[in-house]
Amino acid sequence: MSDLQRPALCCCRKAPVEGGPSPCPERCQRVDVASASNFHSFRLRHFHLDLRLDFAAKEMSGRQVLELVPLQAGVQTLVLDAHPSLLVHSIDCTVPGAAGSPDRCLSLTYRLDPFTDYGSSLIISLPAAVVRPRRTLQITVRYTTTDGPAIWWLDAGLTSGQTSPLVFTQGHSVCNRSFFPCFDTPAVKSTYSATVHVPEGVTVLMSSSHSAYSEQDRAFQFSMEFPVPAYLVALVAGDLQPADIGPRSRVWAEPCILTSAVSKLGGSVERWLAVAEGLFGPYVWGRYDIVFLPPSFPVVAMENPCLTFIISSILESHEFLLIDVIHEIAHGWFGNAVTNATWEEMWLSEGLATYAQRRITTEAYGMHRCLRVLNNDKHISLSIFLGVNPSSLMNLFTYEKGFCFVSYLSHLCGDIQSFDSFLRSYIQQFQFCSVVAEDLLNLFLGFFPQLKEREGLDFDRWLNECGPPLYEPDLSAGAILTEPVQCLCELWGEEVPEPQAIASFDLSSWSTFQTVLFLDRLLDRSPLPQEVMTHLSCCYSALLDGMNAEVQIRWLQIVVRNRFYPDLPRVRSFLHKHTSRMYTVPLYEDLCAGVMKCFAAEVFSQTQARMHPNLRRTLQQILFQSSTPPSETPLPLLPVTSPAPTPTPTDMPSTGCISLRNVNVSA
């Protein structure tokens, strides 16, 4: 019997009784602990947003119309996920009239109850006369957004061009409940449409399959013909210009960075799409457009269907840009077309997308171009319960251990082309559906029936036990790139190497990935002896200053974790230049974990005016070690502390044991 046949938990999260029957002999209702909604009681057919954007007030106001079908008799309430930042003005229901009679509009009573620190429950009372199983209800919610986590308003000074304001939304994982009331769970998918009214000169884009503009109404019309979960509904509005880069792809960006974006991507995207289609089947979304967003964008990239959001800072590194765009393309199949039903199994999206990304790069370039590997001291599992906000937990291991598990499945089936065929079947079977791990594994064993009686498949251990991956794919094809890195890492041990030995390695000729891997290895070994740090700085600091931000931040984290004070001016300069969440938060966390908190507070006081309020609050929480952000009064200038003794390993923050259903990654 395979481990799949004795799962630790059912999809409803009930534990089986030892020696007894399964808690759910038939397919049961899935539980999403991150959603307050009663999504099991309704089928969401479609919803429409009609919004007006007010850049001066930083508000979106309008209405949402939901088309719902009750699935059972006796349903007296509709519960939607919402957020305290949503101001609900009224809710009504359209009731179909009798034959020949007009429809009736009934005002509904509602209340907003607390749910978690990342959302509320919008509880709407439904009159008994309104609810009929299998008959469509039309619920209209009139509301205004305020300062919610999904909506990022940027003043002109925070944009790349610094000439016009911009707004974007970021729904992953559970933030869109502050954009519109919804069933904010990946288990629910529906089509949607939108009308967005904006001031003259503002361009609006959404993650939709069709769009149009009415000059008379100054309104953009959007429709998404394919069902998507709430978190994949996205909007951006501002001074955005387009440029075609392929027959079904277009780049959108502020005018000042459009040329650079086109030059970095022109011609490549269509090639990657074609390779992906050859591996996994047709790209069903029609268009694949990309919009480059200012450095305030809180993640590297987001796989919104038809319109990938990506941070403009990544244009500094062509290699990272390539990998990130291919990863988001892979989400067109894994994550968007077939979605994890709960955030507890995020690896079904990110692990499969990472595997698909590397298959695409292998086919396109002869090898996959990612050298990052898991450290054996990180104890994680693929599946455990969520106990916190899924959006707040970002971790590489969802990608990497998920990738290793998918690679293990590929290894079991015998050859990679057969596994490609299985993945095409998986997409075809579950397209536009949300799945759990059992869905994928049952299909896998049905596709490869010879494995059903095989002993020791270890599926349960992969999904539910902590520890390093039980199988790691063969990365020997990358040895030509990794061997020089490994040799240089071995030179920089506990003692300073000979100058002649160091001189034989020319980092200026290395790829970004090689340099990043080298610095990651040094970061893993920190704290280093101060004599080693001094010589590392002499050899590499000036060279690394001229490299891209992905390289620089790793070196500066090494500087901070080793309390290497001579290079603190480089940390200051970097934090003055970069106001992106991806480059500021890691450095502030490292600074505040040691004895450099006063230095961090001083730099923050000098740069906070150029930060987005959401980032400012995050950094204030780090500085004050509090879950409640302090007031936004500028911090006083504080002196830099004098050098402290070299830290010992016990001074460093503990990583602890974590699990992948307990961690969540964006994009």
Side-chain angles (χ1 to χ4, degrees), residues 256-267:
C256 63
I257 61 173
L258 184 61
T259 300
S260 173
V262 171
S263 67
K264 297 287 180 68
L265 288 174

Side-chain angles (χ1 to χ4, degrees), residues 399-426:
Y399 298 77
E400 294 299 341
K401 192 170 184 181
F403 163 72
C404 288
F405 182 42
V406 177
S407 299
Y408 170 66
L409 297 179
S410 175
H411 169 73
L412 287 176
C413 75
D415 70 272
I416 200 166
Q417 286 73 28
S418 295
F419 192 66
D420 291 342
S421 297
F422 161 71
L423 291 178
R424 287 193 293 272
S425 177
Y426 170 74

Side-chain angles (χ1 to χ4, degrees), residues 112 164 278 281 283 448 474 521 545 598:
L112 201 66
S164 304
Y283 178 75
F448 301 104
D474 180 11
R521 295 279 174 83
D545 282 345
C598 288

Side-chain angles (χ1 to χ4, degrees), residues 42-317:
F42 298 87
R43 179 168 69 88
L44 177 60
R45 292 182 55 194
H46 183 84
F47 70 90
H48 177 75
L49 299 173
D50 191 333
L51 300 173
R52 187 172 300 275
L53 274 55
D54 187 335
F55 282 85
K58 297 182 178 178
E59 291 180 350
M60 297 184 187
S61 59
R63 63 192 175 96
Q64 176 193 33
V65 182
L66 302 100
E67 295 180 15
L68 296 160
V69 179
L71 298 180
Q72 57 201 33
V75 178
Q76 297 180 339
T77 58
L78 167 65
V79 184
L80 298 174
D81 290 302
H83 193 271
S85 64
L86 274 184
L87 303 180
V88 178
H89 306 304
S90 67
I91 302 178
D92 55 56
C93 176
T94 301
V95 182
S101 301
D103 294 346
R104 292 182 299 145
C105 184
L106 298 178
S107 179
L108 302 180
T109 60
Y110 61 90
R111 70 178 191 272
L112 201 66
D113 284 355
F115 172 57
T116 62
D117 61 349
Y118 53 88
S120 305
S121 305
L122 178 58
I123 302 172
I124 305 166
S125 298
L126 301 175
V130 168
V131 180
R132 293 287 186 274
R134 312 298 171 183
R135 187 178 74 174
T136 300
L137 288 173
Q138 192 176 87
I139 306 291
T140 300
V141 182
R142 289 174 175 82
Y143 70 98
T144 299
T145 69
T146 58
D147 186 21
I151 304 174
W152 294 62
W153 296 92
L154 305 186
D155 294 328
L158 292 177
T159 66
S160 299
Q162 300 190 345
T163 57
S164 304
L166 184 142
V167 62
F168 63 82
T169 65
Q170 168 63 8
H172 195 290
S173 302
V174 290
C175 293
N176 264 358
R177 60 190 67 184
S178 68
F179 181 15
F180 52 89
C182 55
F183 294 138
D184 200 359
T185 169
V188 174
K189 293 187 174 185
S190 75
T191 58
Y192 81 91
S193 55
T195 302
V196 184
H197 306 264
V198 290
E200 187 175 357
V202 174
T203 297
V204 184
L205 308 173
M206 290 192 76
S207 53
S208 64
S209 50
H210 300 285
S211 63
Y213 176 65
S214 170
E215 189 170 349
Q216 180 179 353
D217 300 327
R218 284 196 307 202
F220 288 81
Q221 306 281 348
F222 302 95
S223 65
M224 170 54 84
E225 62 185 300
F226 309 107
V228 295
Y231 79 91
L232 290 178
V233 177
L235 176 150
V236 58
D239 181 14
L240 300 169
Q241 300 294 322
D244 289 337
I245 56 171
R248 48 183 164 172
S249 299
R250 179 176 295 158
V251 162
W252 292 86
E254 293 179 72
C256 63
I257 61 173
L258 184 61
T259 300
S260 173
V262 171
S263 67
K264 297 287 180 68
L265 288 174
S268 298
V269 170
E270 181 59 30
R271 178 190 179 192
W272 299 333
L273 284 168
V275 171
E277 287 184 310
L279 291 170
F280 311 120
Y283 178 75
V284 298
W285 302 97
R287 294 200 61 80
Y288 182 81
D289 294 343
I290 301 171
V291 58
F292 283 90
L293 297 178
S296 293
F297 188 54
V299 294
V300 178
M302 181 62 206
E303 66 272 14
N304 302 308
C306 306
L307 184 67
T308 286
F309 285 16
I310 193 163
I311 195 168
S312 57
S313 309
I314 206 69
L315 289 168
E316 290 186 17
S317 171

